[in-house]
Amino acid sequence: MKNFKNAAWKEQVTKVVQKIQENDVKFVRLQFTDINGFLKNLAVSAKNIESIFENGQSFDGSSITGYRPIEESDMVLYPDPSTFAVLPWRPKEKASARLICDVYTPQNQRFEGDPRYILERVIEKAAKAGYTFICAPELEFFIVKESENGGLPTPIDLAGYFDFHPGDLTDDLRREIADTAEAFGIDIEISHHEVALGQNEIDFKYGEALETADRAITLKMCGKVVAARNGYITTYMPKPFQGINGSGMHTHQSLWNKEMTQNLFYADDAKNGYLSELARNYIGGQLAHGRKMAAVLNSWPNSYKRLVPGYEAPVYLAWAHKNRSPLIRVPNFGGRKSAARCEIRCPDGAGNPYLQFAVLLATGLDGIKNKIDPGDAVELNVYHMSYEERKQRGIVSLPENLKEALDELETSDLMRETLGPVTFENFLKEKRHEWDLYRLQVTEWEVNRYIKRL
C-alpha cells in the first residue's frame, strides 16, 4: 500500500471513476515524460482503472530515454487522480481520457529518475524551509507547414508582433489551442502573435510548480494536436529559422509562505522596487549557478542558436528592473504584493519543465541559504557594453554551446544533488551523445562558404 492512499486520495479516485462512467470513456492514456521532456503514454482499458490506481501499471523502462538499463527495466506507473481529463478532441462515442503518472520501481519505491519526482523532491525541500514555489512559463512556439516539394517546413503566416488580421488562420489556431487547453482545466490568460513569422505565444495563470509543470506539458500537447488536426506542425524548437527571433519560455517565479497568504518576494520598499532581500538572494543564487544549470534550461544544440545577441534572447548573467537584455528581469508590478516576482528569460520550451523548474528552485534556494548578493541591477543595455565594461561589472555570459554547458553542469555539486545521481549521469550521457551527433554534421552553410575557397 502506497503512503498517499489516504481518504482524500480515495475520494479523488472515486470521482475519476464516476467521470469515466459518466463520459463512457473506453480507454485512458497514462502519461509521463522521459528525460528530454518528450511526452510518453500508453492506453489502458477504462475497465481496469481502479485496479491500476491500486496496483499500478507495469511497463518496460529500458525503452524510455534516461530511465533504466535493460537488465533493470521493470517499472510501474501510478496515475495521479488530480490530473484526470477527458480528451476534448476525441468524439463522444469513442471517448478517451488521460492521467499523468508517477513512476515507481517494482519494490513500490519512487523511481529517482522520474522527472516529476525530481521536481517534487525540491518542492519538499522548499516546503521544509517554509516556502511555496509559484511559477508561470510563457510558452512561445512556431506553427509551420510542410513544404510541397519536400523542402524544409515554412511559417504559415506573414504576421508580426501583436498583429491582427481578420480571418487570420493563426489567430483561429491559437484560439483553438487555448480552448483545448481550457478543457484540461488550464486557465489561459494571454494569447498573441509573437515577433517572428509563424511565431505565437500562449500564457496560462501561475500556480504551484508541480501543477504548472503538468500544465506546461499539457499545453504543449494541445498545441501539437490542434496543429496536426489542421494539417500543420507546432514546434517548440528554440531556433527553427535563421535570421529571426527564436522561441523561449520566460519563466516568472516567486516564493510564498506555506499558507499562500504572503508573497515573500515583496517588501514595502519603493527604493528597491518593492523587492525583498529574500528575493534578491533568490536572484543571486540563479545568477551564481546560471552557467551550471544552463544545460537543463537549454538542453539541445539548437538552444544556443537562440541565445545570441540581437534577437531579444538573454546572453549575459545580470539582472534588472526595466531592462530586458539581462538574464533575469523584475517586472514592474506596481507595488502590488501578490505580483512581486522575477522573470528568468533563458529557458526554452523544448526542454523538460519538471527538470527546468527543479533547477530554478534549487538554485534560488541556494541563494537564500547562502545569502548570495546579486549585485546592482543593470539597467543599461548589456548587448551594447564592451567586453571591458562587462568585465568591470562582473557580468559573464551563458555558455555558447551545449558542450560548454554540459562541461559546466558536470562540475556542479548542486546540480548533481538536485537531479539525483541517476538523472545527472543519464542526462550528461544523453546530451553528450546529442552533441556528438550535432558536431559531426557538415552543413549547407559550410559547403557553400568553403568548398570553392579552400
Side-chain angles (χ1 to χ4, degrees):
M1 181 71 70
K2 296 162 69 224
N3 58 12
F4 62 72
K5 292 182 178 178
N6 52 31
W9 179 87
K10 290 179 179 178
E11 184 179 352
Q12 284 185 315
V13 169
T14 299
K15 289 181 178 179
V16 168
V17 173
Q18 288 175 347
K19 289 177 181 177
I20 286 174
Q21 293 171 347
E22 290 169 2
N23 290 277
D24 196 22
V25 171
K26 295 293 191 296
F27 288 92
V28 179
R29 298 185 187 183
L30 305 182
Q31 298 183 332
F32 60 103
T33 64
D34 70 3
I35 200 171
N36 288 316
F38 295 154
L39 190 62
K40 303 291 183 178
N41 77 181
L42 63 123
V44 296
S45 172
K47 296 176 183 178
N48 301 325
I49 198 64
E50 289 183 86
S51 174
I52 292 171
F53 272 121
E54 185 68 27
N55 303 306
Q57 173 65 51
S58 298
F59 74 103
D60 179 5
S62 67
S63 299
I64 306 300
T65 303
Y67 274 36
R68 281 194 157 179
I70 194 166
E71 66 271 17
E72 301 176 353
S73 60
D74 291 338
M75 311 211 77
V76 184
L77 295 174
Y78 278 93
D80 180 344
S82 70
T83 65
F84 175 83
V86 175
L87 300 181
W89 54 80
R90 295 285 297 176
K92 288 185 178 181
E93 63 274 13
K94 295 182 179 180
S96 294
R98 79 87 192 262
L99 285 158
I100 297 175
C101 298
D102 296 320
V103 184
Y104 277 71
T105 68
Q107 292 74 38
N108 208 30
Q109 301 294 319
R110 288 296 292 271
F111 172 50
E112 60 179 319
D114 176 9
R116 203 166 186 254
Y117 181 45
I118 290 169
L119 176 56
E120 286 182 288
R121 288 202 306 261
V122 190
I123 291 172
E124 185 178 354
K125 182 179 179 181
K128 288 180 179 177
Y131 308 132
T132 302
F133 181 40
I134 300 298
C135 57
E138 299 177 1
L139 276 163
E140 296 175 340
F141 56 92
F142 282 83
I143 301 178
V144 298
K145 57 185 175 182
E146 296 275 16
S147 173
E148 293 180 0
N149 58 11
L152 294 175
T154 56
I156 67 169
D157 64 59
L158 300 176
Y161 192 60
F162 277 23
D163 277 0
F164 169 72
H165 298 289
D168 178 42
L169 171 65
T170 313
D171 187 65
D172 290 342
L173 287 172
R174 281 200 309 272
R175 173 59 187 271
E176 188 175 346
I177 294 170
D179 288 345
T180 304
E182 291 199 330
F184 284 89
I186 299 175
D187 189 358
I188 300 298
E189 292 193 325
I190 298 174
S191 165
H192 63 86
H193 201 287
E194 258 295 340
V195 173
L197 307 182
Q199 189 182 32
N200 301 271
E201 179 179 315
I202 296 178
D203 306 335
F204 58 87
K205 188 176 181 179
Y206 63 84
E208 295 187 33
L210 185 64
E211 182 180 52
T212 298
D214 289 341
R215 288 173 173 172
I217 65 167
T218 301
L219 180 57
K220 288 165 67 173
M221 174 182 67
C222 293
K224 288 182 173 295
V225 168
V226 168
R229 289 172 67 84
N230 285 276
Y232 303 108
I233 298 169
T234 286
T235 179
Y236 296 89
M237 182 179 179
K239 188 79 168 185
F241 303 110
Q242 181 180 331
I244 61 177
N245 287 20
S247 292
M249 188 184 74
H250 303 165
T251 302
H252 297 255
Q253 311 165 77
S254 60
L255 292 180
W256 290 62
N257 63 357
K258 276 188 174 183
E259 297 75 23
M260 285 294 292
T261 57
Q262 181 185 2
N263 184 348
L264 302 177
F265 272 22
Y266 177 84
D268 192 13
D269 181 4
K271 185 186 297 185
N272 288 309
Y274 299 100
L275 204 63
S276 69
E277 191 64 23
L278 181 139
R280 284 177 51 85
N281 292 153
Y282 185 95
I283 291 170
Q286 294 196 337
L287 294 179
H289 295 281
R291 287 178 59 84
K292 306 290 186 184
M293 66 175 170
V296 178
L297 301 180
N298 306 101
S299 56
W300 298 96
N302 181 258
S303 297
Y304 298 85
K305 300 291 180 73
R306 166 182 166 255
L307 298 176
V308 294
Y311 296 98
E312 298 187 19
V315 179
Y316 300 108
L317 275 71
W319 76 284
H321 288 280
K322 300 176 183 178
N323 190 359
R324 279 178 158 83
S325 63
L327 179 69
I328 296 175
R329 183 176 75 97
V330 177
N332 180 3
F333 50 88
R336 290 178 293 125
K337 295 180 181 180
S338 63
R341 65 195 188 280
C342 67
E343 172 198 23
I344 187 164
R345 298 173 61 79
C346 71
D348 59 54
N352 189 313
Y354 298 105
L355 301 184
Q356 291 170 318
F357 296 163
V359 300
L360 287 176
L361 177 54
T363 54
L365 291 176
D366 188 70
I368 294 169
K369 177 183 176 182
N370 294 296
K371 299 187 183 302
I372 299 177
D373 185 351
D376 295 332
V378 180
E379 300 301 347
L380 298 175
N381 191 326
V382 188
Y383 298 141
H384 295 165
M385 290 183 184
S386 67
Y387 171 78
E388 288 301 323
E389 286 178 299
R390 293 195 301 272
K391 186 177 180 180
Q392 288 175 1
R393 292 174 178 265
I395 300 174
V396 299
S397 66
L398 289 168
E400 293 186 359
N401 56 53
L402 181 59
K403 182 193 182 300
E404 187 180 341
L406 292 170
D407 290 344
E408 289 278 355
L409 175 73
E410 194 167 20
T411 65
S412 173
D413 292 336
L414 180 61
M415 292 298 102
R416 179 182 287 274
E417 175 192 340
T418 301
L419 298 177
V422 170
T423 295
F424 186 80
E425 296 298 337
N426 284 345
F427 188 88
L428 285 170
K429 180 181 178 181
E430 172 68 18
K431 293 305 175 180
R432 288 201 187 281
H433 176 64
E434 187 74 21
W435 174 255
D436 284 342
L437 292 175
Y438 170 77
R439 70 188 182 92
L440 291 174
Q441 301 304 308
V442 178
T443 65
E444 184 179 354
W445 181 88
E446 292 171 280
V447 174
N448 290 339
R449 184 171 178 85
Y450 299 122
I451 198 165
K452 293 180 181 179
R453 296 172 64 186
L454 302 175

